[in-house]
Amino acid sequence: MTDLNPQAKQMADESMVRNLDAQARAIWPQEAPLLRRYSLPADPHILDAGCGTGEAASRLAELFPQASVLGVDIIDAHLDLARTRYASLEPRLRFEHQSIFELKAPDESFDLTVCRHVLHSIPHPDRVLAELARVTRRGGYLHLIAEDYGMLHFQPGALDVRDFWHRAPSSFGAATGTDLFMGRNTFSILVPMNVEQITVDYVIVDTVRVPRETFAAIIEAWRDGYADAIGELTPITREAAVAYFDQMIANIRNPRGYAVWMVPVLSARVKAAK
């Protein structure tokens, strides 16, 4: 049977808590206006599928003050942390242990279904997208952040970082049965589904729009959480991976340096019944 969570060790690592925090701080200011575009009821029901530590679920509850928000994940430590951090938002915000491959909700339960930073880390993303659409009401929306590791760019240094991002994601994806280029491939999965009004926007995480330390914290968390696995599963050694990441971090922290991560944000409206 295919492992449905091949990055379980990395997802449960303490570095992931830091990563989710830094990613939310970097991405949310540009993402929130995209979420406001959706035509939602005054008191929408919202699902955050693969909610992690609740960084996005809590922000969704604040962005839509009359909403009921459910965050689901399979890492209990993350869920416990989310419940502790955001207890003040109960009962509008709840967290449950559920797999996004088999959600407990009946059909058409949510007005907005959000899935952020997950699709690249799992096999069978088409099955997950079908499940997310199943629990979304007709006329409701899917909102997806699909990471793509061909969309990071850094200035040249002693090491050619382009070589790292060319080799590591392909090898890592092949070893884990995942697609680390989901950002460019999600559209093709959505097109034949029962959805319409597909959009592709980009959040630009760079050294102009995002504080340098926030951007650097994302790369540091990736280094700390994934260097060992990269050394095991790709042609790049752990030591080389750390060196690559350290050069990226130095590029970001250099006041004269420029670096950018283009983050695809896709949305689609589930077709209304005829």
Side-chain angles (χ1 to χ4, degrees), residues 3 17 25 75 83 99 103 105 165 216 221 235 237 243 246 256 265 268:
D3 183 357
V17 176
R25 287 186 284 117
I75 300 177
R83 293 184 187 107
S99 168
L103 296 164
W165 290 116
T237 66
D246 285 347
R256 293 190 174 186
V265 183

Side-chain angles (χ1 to χ4, degrees), residues 127 131 197:
R127 285 171 48 186
E131 181 69 350
Q197 299 177 18

Side-chain angles (χ1 to χ4, degrees), residues 159-181:
L159 300 172
D160 189 346
V161 176
R162 294 175 301 177
D163 184 52
F164 175 85
W165 290 116
H166 176 71
R167 290 195 294 159
S170 298
S171 300
F172 196 95
T176 58
T178 59
D179 180 1
L180 276 68
F181 302 99

